[in-house]
Amino acid sequence: MAKAENSVPAPAVRRLSLYLRQLEAFQSNNLQTVSSKQLGQALSLSDAQVRKDLAYFGQFGHPGVGYRVSELIERLRQILGTDRKTTAMLVGLGNLGHALMQYRGFNKKNFEIVAAFDKDPTKLGQAIPDRPAMTIQPMTEMLETVNHLNIKLGLICVPAEVAQDVADMMITAGVRGILNFAPISLKVGPNVVMSSVDLAVQLEQLAFQLSAMQNRATEPRQ
Amino acid sequence: MAKAENSVPAPAVRRLSLYLRQLEAFQSNNLQTVSSKQLGQALSLSDAQVRKDLAYFGQFGHPGVGYRVSELIERLRQILGTDRKTTAMLVGLGNLGHALMQYRGFNKKNFEIVAAFDKDPTKLGQAIPDRPAMTIQPMTEMLETVNHLNIKLGLICVPAEVAQDVADMMITAGVRGILNFAPISLKVGPNVVMSSVDLAVQLEQLAFQLSAMQNRATEPRQ
């Protein structure tokens, strides 16, 4: 019996994404079935860990066969919610915003950016490369567009100083998920889910690990 | 007395980046001093958490004053290793690679991309927008360039299928830090630090949280 989804530990949910990614790689190599050991090895995890994580969500293995790759991919997509399309909008058409409009990974996960907004009047009405059906809209059209296109998710690509305002506007318009690329911590209510991508933070953490490693290498052994 | 850097819990190191980001925001608002309570509130953390995290690295507060913003910024940059320049190279000049070449956040953290490589012969020698001093180099020049420019960090922006090969080449060339944007788990030795940025995984996790939240909202109370 699968547990309620909200009682599953976050690291297990995070590993589901890794399992799915690895299974997709196996599938593109024409592998039909896979054992928990094979799946674990490819990701430097134990087979017990793989079985335990998957057991939160149900019974997926077949005795003597292991997991059927295409079946497990389908089930994981259902569990993660990427088997259905999620409509999204993007606010802030700077360098990063434009790069994200080009990013094909969103479509692979069934996210579709259907609207783009910017407050810069010189950008309004501009076409977006590879997106013939879209133009950059003014912020004042957000509420109507979110309702009209049933937009569920908002991507924030504006400068830090205005990111909270944009988040508040998105939530007012009815968006319930935010992916924040602005380098600032945003506050959202309990009925909104948010994830942040801050490359600068990631770089800094890497710099810290690099220098910690170099310190270890040069310090005298105790 | 500060603890050895490698014995500090990873979440505390991660929060250092958030403190630094928030302090920089305070500084741009001309705030001179800040209390642990103010810093904590801005990040939805307790003041005790802030004090505990910082105490791993030394004594930064001044009695009756709190933290001096510019001083704490400087110390955090030293601790994180972003007070010194880190030279980096990027491999894979597709959409994402080009977007990252334009991304100004690297320079803000003292990372400088000084070389770019691609295996596609049609891209070799091409100029890179806004980077007059650089052209796209063939993979065969990696070893020499890493040594010549003392490159410490490699950014992997190639397709998943070739990402491990590129990581191996980087490590052979002498790179000790990798930032992986390819949607695959890479294996590196113990003397290499790696961090992965997978937007698709982040999207998927957000999709899961969105659907878990919607399930909570619609299920009968118990």
Side-chain angles (χ1 to χ4, degrees), chain A residues 15-25 39 43 72-74 76-77 80 82 109, chain B residues 204:
Chain A
R15 282 190 293 270
L16 284 196
S17 285
L18 301 185
Y19 298 146
L20 177 53
R21 200 172 69 182
Q22 188 60 49
L23 288 160
E24 287 166 346
L39 188 52
L43 296 164
L72 189 50
I73 286 175
E74 195 181 326
L76 290 180
R77 284 180 186 157
L80 288 165
T82 53
K109 294 293 175 186
Chain B
E204 218 165 55

PDB file of all heavy atoms in Angstrom, chain A residues 15-25 39 43 72-74 76-77 80 82 109, chain B residues 204:
ATOM      1  N   ARG A  15      15.132  11.618  -4.934  1.00  0.00           N
ATOM      2  CA  ARG A  15      15.766  10.493  -5.634  1.00  0.00           C
ATOM      3  C   ARG A  15      14.860   9.918  -6.719  1.00  0.00           C
ATOM      4  O   ARG A  15      15.354   9.381  -7.701  1.00  0.00           O
ATOM      5  CB  ARG A  15      16.188   9.410  -4.629  1.00  0.00           C
ATOM      6  CG  ARG A  15      17.480   9.772  -3.873  1.00  0.00           C
ATOM      7  CD  ARG A  15      18.032   8.601  -3.072  1.00  0.00           C
ATOM      8  NE  ARG A  15      17.166   8.244  -1.969  1.00  0.00           N
ATOM      9  CZ  ARG A  15      17.254   8.753  -0.728  1.00  0.00           C
ATOM     10  NH1 ARG A  15      18.216   9.612  -0.440  1.00  0.00           N
ATOM     11  NH2 ARG A  15      16.421   8.380   0.214  1.00  0.00           N
ATOM     12  N   LEU A  16      13.541  10.058  -6.583  1.00  0.00           N
ATOM     13  CA  LEU A  16      12.644   9.588  -7.662  1.00  0.00           C
ATOM     14  C   LEU A  16      13.032  10.226  -8.983  1.00  0.00           C
ATOM     15  O   LEU A  16      13.007   9.585 -10.031  1.00  0.00           O
ATOM     16  CB  LEU A  16      11.184   9.948  -7.358  1.00  0.00           C
ATOM     17  CG  LEU A  16      10.400   9.149  -6.333  1.00  0.00           C
ATOM     18  CD1 LEU A  16       8.919   9.436  -6.515  1.00  0.00           C
ATOM     19  CD2 LEU A  16      10.680   7.662  -6.408  1.00  0.00           C
ATOM     20  N   SER A  17      13.366  11.516  -8.934  1.00  0.00           N
ATOM     21  CA  SER A  17      13.782  12.209 -10.159  1.00  0.00           C
ATOM     22  C   SER A  17      15.047  11.587 -10.738  1.00  0.00           C
ATOM     23  O   SER A  17      15.193  11.467 -11.950  1.00  0.00           O
ATOM     24  CB  SER A  17      14.042  13.688  -9.873  1.00  0.00           C
ATOM     25  OG  SER A  17      12.832  14.395  -9.706  1.00  0.00           O
ATOM     26  N   LEU A  18      15.968  11.212  -9.848  1.00  0.00           N
ATOM     27  CA  LEU A  18      17.204  10.585 -10.326  1.00  0.00           C
ATOM     28  C   LEU A  18      16.915   9.203 -10.917  1.00  0.00           C
ATOM     29  O   LEU A  18      17.489   8.836 -11.944  1.00  0.00           O
ATOM     30  CB  LEU A  18      18.213  10.450  -9.183  1.00  0.00           C
ATOM     31  CG  LEU A  18      18.626  11.753  -8.503  1.00  0.00           C
ATOM     32  CD1 LEU A  18      19.727  11.499  -7.480  1.00  0.00           C
ATOM     33  CD2 LEU A  18      19.110  12.778  -9.531  1.00  0.00           C
ATOM     34  N   TYR A  19      16.009   8.448 -10.262  1.00  0.00           N
ATOM     35  CA  TYR A  19      15.648   7.136 -10.812  1.00  0.00           C
ATOM     36  C   TYR A  19      15.044   7.300 -12.198  1.00  0.00           C
ATOM     37  O   TYR A  19      15.390   6.583 -13.132  1.00  0.00           O
ATOM     38  CB  TYR A  19      14.643   6.411  -9.895  1.00  0.00           C
ATOM     39  CG  TYR A  19      15.174   6.121  -8.508  1.00  0.00           C
ATOM     40  CD1 TYR A  19      14.341   6.140  -7.397  1.00  0.00           C
ATOM     41  CD2 TYR A  19      16.522   5.828  -8.298  1.00  0.00           C
ATOM     42  CE1 TYR A  19      14.822   5.880  -6.125  1.00  0.00           C
ATOM     43  CE2 TYR A  19      17.016   5.581  -7.028  1.00  0.00           C
ATOM     44  CZ  TYR A  19      16.155   5.612  -5.941  1.00  0.00           C
ATOM     45  OH  TYR A  19      16.637   5.369  -4.683  1.00  0.00           O
ATOM     46  N   LEU A  20      14.136   8.262 -12.316  1.00  0.00           N
ATOM     47  CA  LEU A  20      13.461   8.468 -13.593  1.00  0.00           C
ATOM     48  C   LEU A  20      14.477   8.821 -14.686  1.00  0.00           C
ATOM     49  O   LEU A  20      14.453   8.258 -15.784  1.00  0.00           O
ATOM     50  CB  LEU A  20      12.411   9.575 -13.447  1.00  0.00           C
ATOM     51  CG  LEU A  20      11.659   9.981 -14.707  1.00  0.00           C
ATOM     52  CD1 LEU A  20      11.036   8.782 -15.400  1.00  0.00           C
ATOM     53  CD2 LEU A  20      10.592  11.020 -14.387  1.00  0.00           C
ATOM     54  N   ARG A  21      15.393   9.732 -14.351  1.00  0.00           N
ATOM     55  CA  ARG A  21      16.404  10.151 -15.324  1.00  0.00           C
ATOM     56  C   ARG A  21      17.258   8.964 -15.760  1.00  0.00           C
ATOM     57  O   ARG A  21      17.566   8.791 -16.945  1.00  0.00           O
ATOM     58  CB  ARG A  21      17.280  11.214 -14.652  1.00  0.00           C
ATOM     59  CG  ARG A  21      18.025  12.075 -15.556  1.00  0.00           C
ATOM     60  CD  ARG A  21      18.681  13.192 -14.781  1.00  0.00           C
ATOM     61  NE  ARG A  21      19.745  12.692 -13.929  1.00  0.00           N
ATOM     62  CZ  ARG A  21      20.457  13.464 -13.109  1.00  0.00           C
ATOM     63  NH1 ARG A  21      20.216  14.756 -13.028  1.00  0.00           N
ATOM     64  NH2 ARG A  21      21.398  12.952 -12.380  1.00  0.00           N
ATOM     65  N   GLN A  22      17.623   8.128 -14.779  1.00  0.00           N
ATOM     66  CA  GLN A  22      18.463   6.973 -15.099  1.00  0.00           C
ATOM     67  C   GLN A  22      17.682   5.951 -15.915  1.00  0.00           C
ATOM     68  O   GLN A  22      18.223   5.367 -16.862  1.00  0.00           O
ATOM     69  CB  GLN A  22      18.995   6.356 -13.798  1.00  0.00           C
ATOM     70  CG  GLN A  22      20.040   5.277 -14.029  1.00  0.00           C
ATOM     71  CD  GLN A  22      21.260   5.809 -14.772  1.00  0.00           C
ATOM     72  OE1 GLN A  22      21.817   6.839 -14.410  1.00  0.00           O
ATOM     73  NE2 GLN A  22      21.668   5.114 -15.836  1.00  0.00           N
ATOM     74  N   LEU A  23      16.424   5.759 -15.571  1.00  0.00           N
ATOM     75  CA  LEU A  23      15.595   4.807 -16.321  1.00  0.00           C
ATOM     76  C   LEU A  23      15.420   5.271 -17.759  1.00  0.00           C
ATOM     77  O   LEU A  23      15.434   4.462 -18.696  1.00  0.00           O
ATOM     78  CB  LEU A  23      14.227   4.649 -15.639  1.00  0.00           C
ATOM     79  CG  LEU A  23      14.251   3.863 -14.319  1.00  0.00           C
ATOM     80  CD1 LEU A  23      13.009   4.156 -13.485  1.00  0.00           C
ATOM     81  CD2 LEU A  23      14.369   2.358 -14.582  1.00  0.00           C
ATOM     82  N   GLU A  24      15.267   6.581 -17.955  1.00  0.00           N
ATOM     83  CA  GLU A  24      15.159   7.110 -19.319  1.00  0.00           C
ATOM     84  C   GLU A  24      16.453   6.854 -20.098  1.00  0.00           C
ATOM     85  O   GLU A  24      16.425   6.546 -21.291  1.00  0.00           O
ATOM     86  CB  GLU A  24      14.815   8.605 -19.279  1.00  0.00           C
ATOM     87  CG  GLU A  24      13.363   8.852 -18.868  1.00  0.00           C
ATOM     88  CD  GLU A  24      13.053  10.301 -18.472  1.00  0.00           C
ATOM     89  OE1 GLU A  24      13.999  11.090 -18.244  1.00  0.00           O
ATOM     90  OE2 GLU A  24      11.868  10.641 -18.353  1.00  0.00           O
ATOM     91  N   ALA A  25      17.586   6.949 -19.396  1.00  0.00           N
ATOM     92  CA  ALA A  25      18.864   6.639 -20.055  1.00  0.00           C
ATOM     93  C   ALA A  25      18.928   5.157 -20.410  1.00  0.00           C
ATOM     94  O   ALA A  25      19.345   4.790 -21.513  1.00  0.00           O
ATOM     95  CB  ALA A  25      20.035   7.023 -19.139  1.00  0.00           C
ATOM     96  N   LEU A  39      20.054  -0.295 -10.982  1.00  0.00           N
ATOM     97  CA  LEU A  39      19.606   1.094 -10.879  1.00  0.00           C
ATOM     98  C   LEU A  39      20.422   1.824  -9.814  1.00  0.00           C
ATOM     99  O   LEU A  39      20.884   2.953 -10.013  1.00  0.00           O
ATOM    100  CB  LEU A  39      18.103   1.111 -10.546  1.00  0.00           C
ATOM    101  CG  LEU A  39      17.371   2.446 -10.565  1.00  0.00           C
ATOM    102  CD1 LEU A  39      17.598   3.203 -11.869  1.00  0.00           C
ATOM    103  CD2 LEU A  39      15.871   2.237 -10.347  1.00  0.00           C
ATOM    104  N   LEU A  43      23.665   5.004  -9.935  1.00  0.00           N
ATOM    105  CA  LEU A  43      23.506   6.268  -9.221  1.00  0.00           C
ATOM    106  C   LEU A  43      24.303   6.307  -7.913  1.00  0.00           C
ATOM    107  O   LEU A  43      24.103   7.207  -7.087  1.00  0.00           O
ATOM    108  CB  LEU A  43      22.017   6.492  -8.911  1.00  0.00           C
ATOM    109  CG  LEU A  43      21.109   6.661 -10.136  1.00  0.00           C
ATOM    110  CD1 LEU A  43      19.653   6.482  -9.757  1.00  0.00           C
ATOM    111  CD2 LEU A  43      21.335   8.026 -10.769  1.00  0.00           C
ATOM    112  N   LEU A  72       8.008   1.341 -15.180  1.00  0.00           N
ATOM    113  CA  LEU A  72       8.438   2.130 -14.029  1.00  0.00           C
ATOM    114  C   LEU A  72       8.566   3.614 -14.401  1.00  0.00           C
ATOM    115  O   LEU A  72       8.219   4.499 -13.613  1.00  0.00           O
ATOM    116  CB  LEU A  72       9.760   1.582 -13.476  1.00  0.00           C
ATOM    117  CG  LEU A  72      10.236   2.158 -12.138  1.00  0.00           C
ATOM    118  CD1 LEU A  72       9.153   2.143 -11.072  1.00  0.00           C
ATOM    119  CD2 LEU A  72      11.467   1.393 -11.634  1.00  0.00           C
ATOM    120  N   ILE A  73       9.021   3.891 -15.631  1.00  0.00           N
ATOM    121  CA  ILE A  73       9.085   5.286 -16.097  1.00  0.00           C
ATOM    122  C   ILE A  73       7.700   5.921 -16.059  1.00  0.00           C
ATOM    123  O   ILE A  73       7.510   7.015 -15.525  1.00  0.00           O
ATOM    124  CB  ILE A  73       9.671   5.349 -17.538  1.00  0.00           C
ATOM    125  CG1 ILE A  73      11.184   5.087 -17.510  1.00  0.00           C
ATOM    126  CG2 ILE A  73       9.373   6.704 -18.193  1.00  0.00           C
ATOM    127  CD1 ILE A  73      11.829   5.012 -18.882  1.00  0.00           C
ATOM    128  N   GLU A  74       6.727   5.163 -16.588  1.00  0.00           N
ATOM    129  CA  GLU A  74       5.362   5.683 -16.636  1.00  0.00           C
ATOM    130  C   GLU A  74       4.817   5.951 -15.239  1.00  0.00           C
ATOM    131  O   GLU A  74       4.222   7.001 -14.965  1.00  0.00           O
ATOM    132  CB  GLU A  74       4.479   4.660 -17.365  1.00  0.00           C
ATOM    133  CG  GLU A  74       3.145   5.187 -17.813  1.00  0.00           C
ATOM    134  CD  GLU A  74       2.335   4.081 -18.516  1.00  0.00           C
ATOM    135  OE1 GLU A  74       2.958   3.225 -19.190  1.00  0.00           O
ATOM    136  OE2 GLU A  74       1.107   4.075 -18.356  1.00  0.00           O
ATOM    137  N   LEU A  76       6.558   6.471 -12.445  1.00  0.00           N
ATOM    138  CA  LEU A  76       7.268   7.577 -11.787  1.00  0.00           C
ATOM    139  C   LEU A  76       6.766   8.924 -12.316  1.00  0.00           C
ATOM    140  O   LEU A  76       6.617   9.883 -11.561  1.00  0.00           O
ATOM    141  CB  LEU A  76       8.783   7.448 -11.978  1.00  0.00           C
ATOM    142  CG  LEU A  76       9.448   6.298 -11.214  1.00  0.00           C
ATOM    143  CD1 LEU A  76      10.954   6.277 -11.472  1.00  0.00           C
ATOM    144  CD2 LEU A  76       9.184   6.390  -9.710  1.00  0.00           C
ATOM    145  N   ARG A  77       6.504   8.998 -13.620  1.00  0.00           N
ATOM    146  CA  ARG A  77       5.964  10.253 -14.173  1.00  0.00           C
ATOM    147  C   ARG A  77       4.603  10.575 -13.564  1.00  0.00           C
ATOM    148  O   ARG A  77       4.311  11.727 -13.266  1.00  0.00           O
ATOM    149  CB  ARG A  77       5.853  10.158 -15.707  1.00  0.00           C
ATOM    150  CG  ARG A  77       7.195  10.291 -16.393  1.00  0.00           C
ATOM    151  CD  ARG A  77       7.057  10.198 -17.908  1.00  0.00           C
ATOM    152  NE  ARG A  77       8.367  10.198 -18.538  1.00  0.00           N
ATOM    153  CZ  ARG A  77       8.627   9.709 -19.740  1.00  0.00           C
ATOM    154  NH1 ARG A  77       7.651   9.169 -20.466  1.00  0.00           N
ATOM    155  NH2 ARG A  77       9.843   9.754 -20.227  1.00  0.00           N
ATOM    156  N   LEU A  80       5.248  11.792  -9.982  1.00  0.00           N
ATOM    157  CA  LEU A  80       5.850  13.124  -9.945  1.00  0.00           C
ATOM    158  C   LEU A  80       4.926  14.191 -10.541  1.00  0.00           C
ATOM    159  O   LEU A  80       5.134  15.388 -10.312  1.00  0.00           O
ATOM    160  CB  LEU A  80       7.190  13.111 -10.681  1.00  0.00           C
ATOM    161  CG  LEU A  80       8.310  12.373  -9.926  1.00  0.00           C
ATOM    162  CD1 LEU A  80       9.497  12.081 -10.838  1.00  0.00           C
ATOM    163  CD2 LEU A  80       8.769  13.165  -8.708  1.00  0.00           C
ATOM    164  N   THR A  82       4.415  14.666 -13.817  1.00  0.00           N
ATOM    165  CA  THR A  82       4.843  15.167 -15.124  1.00  0.00           C
ATOM    166  C   THR A  82       4.238  14.354 -16.269  1.00  0.00           C
ATOM    167  O   THR A  82       4.630  14.522 -17.417  1.00  0.00           O
ATOM    168  CB  THR A  82       6.383  15.176 -15.261  1.00  0.00           C
ATOM    169  OG1 THR A  82       6.868  13.873 -14.949  1.00  0.00           O
ATOM    170  CG2 THR A  82       6.999  16.190 -14.326  1.00  0.00           C
ATOM    171  N   LYS A 109       9.659  17.701 -19.705  1.00  0.00           N
ATOM    172  CA  LYS A 109       8.985  17.386 -18.437  1.00  0.00           C
ATOM    173  C   LYS A 109       7.526  17.829 -18.454  1.00  0.00           C
ATOM    174  O   LYS A 109       6.899  17.948 -17.411  1.00  0.00           O
ATOM    175  CB  LYS A 109       9.729  18.049 -17.274  1.00  0.00           C
ATOM    176  CG  LYS A 109      11.120  17.497 -17.048  1.00  0.00           C
ATOM    177  CD  LYS A 109      11.067  16.048 -16.566  1.00  0.00           C
ATOM    178  CE  LYS A 109      12.481  15.463 -16.464  1.00  0.00           C
ATOM    179  NZ  LYS A 109      12.445  14.026 -16.138  1.00  0.00           N
TER     180      LYS A 109
ATOM    181  N   GLU B 204      10.507  18.898 -11.862  1.00  0.00           N
ATOM    182  CA  GLU B 204       9.775  17.690 -11.514  1.00  0.00           C
ATOM    183  C   GLU B 204       9.406  17.703 -10.039  1.00  0.00           C
ATOM    184  O   GLU B 204       8.312  17.314  -9.652  1.00  0.00           O
ATOM    185  CB  GLU B 204      10.710  16.519 -11.776  1.00  0.00           C
ATOM    186  CG  GLU B 204      10.077  15.317 -12.329  1.00  0.00           C
ATOM    187  CD  GLU B 204      11.186  14.436 -12.864  1.00  0.00           C
ATOM    188  OE1 GLU B 204      12.106  14.111 -12.105  1.00  0.00           O
ATOM    189  OE2 GLU B 204      11.123  14.084 -14.042  1.00  0.00           O
TER     190      GLU B 204
END
